[in-house]
């Protein structure tokens, strides 16, 4: 995306339309993606809105995600989506993304009650869901992880989780809904240790359990049944026996170890201890 945005002009126009507070002003530009740009808009010196310019197809999907889950207290309010999908404006969530958060047992329960239980089957333009395609994507992710993990785990561990993933095409794998797609602590906003928002979705059609398990393994702390089961008990319409639960966790955990080696190698020892814990439950 090379076209420069007249952000101040956009703000004036949206104020005139009543979409933004009349005292809205551009505060700063934040780091965005390679193609996108992110701006913070303030009111009376306090951040109030986020304006994001990005690929139009992606922003159309993000807008649909915000609209579909507008009742979720964790999804920032959508204030405006440009007709050409060139930019989107949603509420700024005051807080931080980092290590200062309440125990995982608590925020997993909140995530389940305040976001995941709002999930529903929604048609996403240009997207379809196929169990076989989903299985292939998961298996490809495991191959990626194996390349990163190397000899840190035995080949038999890879074959084990691959066999779990290949079972996707042989069973009904939970409800297929519009999911966040990148539902981890790196996209959770906390203030005073409490979760206040979930940002930066990568919307797609997939099993609800994907986001649930993704969130659980997205940090290396408290990766145990005592942490997971209370949240699972809150998850509506997703009955899961413990053997299936263990399989789901191990698939996502193996993949997460590969991601960890790329971006968070300091977490490796803790993830490997978690791996041995879950492997012993099989």
């Amino acid at each position: 995306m090379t076209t420069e945005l007249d952000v101040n002009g956009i703000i004036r126009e949206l104020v005139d339309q009543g979409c933004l507070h009349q005292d809205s002003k551009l505060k700063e530009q934040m780091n965005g993606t390679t193609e996108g740009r992110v701006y913070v808009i303030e009111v009376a010196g306090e951040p109030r809105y986020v304006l994001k310019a990005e690929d139009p197809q992606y922003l159309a999907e993000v807008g649909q995600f915000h609209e579909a889950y507008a009742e979720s207290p964790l999804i920032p309010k959508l204030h405006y989506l440009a007709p050409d999908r060139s930019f989107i404006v949603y509420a700024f969530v005051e807080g931080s993304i980092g290590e200062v958060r309440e125990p995982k047992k608590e925020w997993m329960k909140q995530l389940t009650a305040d976001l995941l239980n709002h999930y529903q089957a929604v048609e996403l333009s240009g997207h379809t869901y196929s169990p076989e395609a989903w299985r292939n994507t998961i298996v490809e992710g495991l191959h990626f992880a194996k390349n990163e993990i190397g000899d840190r785990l035995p080949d038999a561990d890879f074959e084990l989780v691959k066999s779990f993933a290949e079972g996707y095409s042989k069973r009904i794998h939970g409800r297929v809904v519009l999911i966040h797609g990148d539902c981890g602590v790196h996209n959770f906003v906390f203030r005073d240790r409490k979760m206040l928002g979930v940002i930066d979705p990568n919307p797609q059609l997939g099993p609800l359990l994907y986001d649930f398990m993704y969130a659980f393994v997205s940090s290396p702390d408290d990766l145990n049944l005592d942490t997971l089961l209370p949240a699972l008990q809150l998850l509506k319409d997703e009955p899961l026996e413990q053997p299936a639960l263990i399989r789901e966790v191990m698939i996502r955990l193996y993949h997460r170890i590969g991601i960890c080696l790329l971006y968070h190698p300091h977490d490796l020892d803790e993830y490997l201890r978690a791996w041995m814990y879950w492997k012993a439950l099989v």
Side-chain angles (χ1 to χ4, degrees):
M1 183 181 300
T2 58
T3 304
E4 290 298 322
L5 281 183
D6 177 10
V7 179
N8 286 311
I10 290 173
I11 293 173
R12 289 193 297 271
E13 182 176 345
L14 294 182
V15 167
D16 290 342
Q17 294 180 20
C19 297
L20 304 183
H21 190 280
Q22 62 181 3
D23 296 327
S24 297
K25 297 178 182 178
L26 176 62
K27 177 177 174 63
E28 61 181 334
Q29 181 173 352
M30 303 172 65
N31 293 329
T33 64
T34 302
E35 295 296 324
R37 297 186 297 279
V38 179
Y39 305 87
V40 175
I41 300 170
E42 65 179 8
V43 175
E46 297 295 330
R48 178 73 66 86
Y49 312 101
V50 174
L51 187 154
K52 178 179 288 189
E54 182 58 277
D55 173 74
Q57 178 61 35
Y58 167 71
L59 289 186
E61 295 166 0
V62 170
Q64 188 171 350
F65 183 87
H66 279 257
E67 290 174 347
Y69 304 131
E71 297 302 314
S72 166
L74 292 176
I75 298 302
K77 179 181 177 180
L78 176 65
H79 287 276
Y80 188 79
L81 177 61
D84 63 358
R85 308 304 190 253
S86 60
F87 68 90
I88 192 171
V89 180
Y90 55 85
F92 180 90
V93 181
E94 185 71 48
S96 63
I97 297 171
E99 298 300 321
V100 183
R101 54 182 181 260
E102 63 185 339
K104 181 177 288 183
K105 179 184 287 188
E106 299 307 318
W107 64 251
M108 277 294 299
K109 290 191 295 184
Q110 183 183 358
L111 179 73
T112 300
D114 288 348
L115 177 58
L116 302 184
N117 282 342
H118 290 264
Y119 278 8
Q120 56 186 298
V122 175
E123 290 188 10
L124 191 61
S125 178
H127 293 258
T128 58
Y129 176 82
S130 157
E132 291 75 19
W134 185 265
R135 175 205 61 192
N136 292 340
T137 298
I138 299 300
V139 172
E140 288 171 7
L142 294 176
H143 279 284
F144 149 80
K146 183 179 186 297
N147 288 336
E148 297 299 325
I149 292 169
D151 61 2
R152 294 176 178 87
L153 292 173
D155 289 347
D157 286 5
F158 167 73
E159 295 299 332
L160 179 66
V161 293
K162 185 162 74 77
S163 71
F164 293 161
E166 287 172 342
Y168 279 142
S169 62
K170 301 173 184 176
R171 67 179 188 273
I172 297 174
H173 183 63
R175 290 192 295 130
V176 175
V177 296
L178 178 61
I179 62 175
H180 182 285
D182 196 12
C183 192
V185 293
H186 52 286
N187 283 325
F188 298 164
V189 181
F190 293 84
R191 188 170 74 241
D192 298 328
R193 300 176 62 85
K194 298 293 185 181
M195 180 187 286
L196 295 183
V198 177
I199 62 173
D200 291 345
N202 180 27
Q204 54 191 291
L205 301 178
L208 184 153
L209 286 170
Y210 178 84
D211 272 6
F212 182 77
M213 296 300 180
Y214 190 109
F216 177 62
V217 305
S218 67
S219 65
D221 54 300
D222 299 328
L223 290 173
N224 53 60
L225 280 170
D226 288 342
T227 297
L228 187 59
L229 289 179
L232 183 65
Q233 291 168 358
L234 294 177
L235 194 62
K236 295 179 180 178
D237 304 320
E238 292 292 333
L240 197 64
E241 298 298 327
Q242 185 158 312
L245 171 70
I246 294 168
R247 291 193 295 267
E248 299 299 334
V249 171
M250 290 187 69
I251 291 169
R252 296 269 38 96
L253 183 56
Y254 190 91
H255 184 262
R256 186 65 190 180
I257 292 171
I259 296 292
C260 164
L261 284 162
L262 270 181
Y263 300 109
H264 312 284
H266 56 280
D267 289 335
L268 179 61
D269 288 346
E270 201 169 356
Y271 272 120
L272 291 178
R273 286 193 293 271
W275 176 257
M276 298 307 295
Y277 167 89
W278 286 95
K279 184 179 174 182
L281 297 176
V282 174

